[in-house]
Amino acid sequence: YLTQPPAGASRQAAQRLADMTAKVIASDDFESGQKTGGTGWNSDWNGGSVTSRGRPYSGQYHLVLDGSSRRIFTHEGSKIRVRFAAKVSGGSSAFMDIGGQRVWEWSKDDPADQYKLFDLDLSRYSFTMKTNIYFGGYTLFIDDLQIIALPSR
């Protein structure tokens, strides 16, 4: 059972190994069609709506925000990755905070109305037992959200 990449392994090989030993602690693909779906959460989405309008990234549903929404997950420590697909409509702005820390903002250079995949390494942050993930923006679409705990080395 390999827990460290072999000496001289590429960065991509090291990332694939980390992905194989990672644990998904919370996820939501929104396919329940409800703000209560997904696994690993301690609350429901408190804003936005789950809808099929606007062409979801995958499946039939995604979360759309015209304002903000938050949800709580449980994890203590660091070594977190957040993966999700997002798009904004028109020239909107958007952001994501986790545990009160701004960790992502929609770039004005990113094309509007097209989903883009994000994979954020948040290992430099520490999280308390119950942590908020908070998205804000106008006509921000989110799909295939995963919060992943990476193994300690």
Side-chain angles (χ1 to χ4, degrees):
Y1 175 50
L2 187 64
T3 59
Q4 294 289 324
S10 70
R11 186 172 185 197
Q12 292 84 7
Q15 181 60 53
R16 283 192 301 272
L17 178 61
D19 287 349
M20 291 185 321
T21 57
K23 176 185 173 191
V24 176
I25 57 175
S27 67
D28 200 340
D29 62 7
F30 305 100
E31 290 309 298
S32 70
Q34 305 292 318
K35 294 193 292 184
T36 58
T39 60
W41 301 100
N42 295 95
S43 69
D44 301 335
W45 291 102
N46 76 339
S49 62
V50 176
T51 181
S52 60
R53 78 175 169 89
R55 290 197 173 143
Y57 176 74
S58 68
Q60 295 181 353
Y61 297 96
H62 53 182
L63 178 69
V64 61
L65 300 175
D66 285 313
S68 63
S69 186
R70 76 170 169 80
R71 198 160 192 192
I72 300 170
F73 65 93
T74 301
H75 179 73
E76 191 166 12
S78 58
K79 303 265 186 198
I80 295 274
R81 291 190 86 80
V82 177
R83 295 178 179 154
F84 61 98
K87 70 177 179 175
V88 297
S89 183
S92 298
S93 62
F95 66 89
M96 178 177 59
D97 292 348
I98 294 185
Q101 299 172 79
R102 180 72 36 101
V103 297
W104 171 79
E105 290 185 77
W106 184 265
S107 168
K108 295 288 185 186
D109 296 331
D110 291 328
D113 301 312
Q114 294 179 23
Y115 264 108
K116 184 174 178 180
L117 294 175
F118 295 92
D119 184 352
L120 309 176
D121 180 359
L122 305 181
S123 58
R124 65 184 178 150
Y125 302 103
S126 290
F127 301 101
T128 59
M129 242 350 231
K130 289 190 176 179
T131 301
N132 288 320
I133 182 168
Y134 181 87
F135 285 98
Y138 288 90
T139 321
L140 167 64
F141 296 86
I142 302 290
D143 207 352
D144 291 346
L145 172 64
Q146 289 186 323
I147 300 173
I148 300 162
L150 300 174
S152 298
R153 293 189 181 178

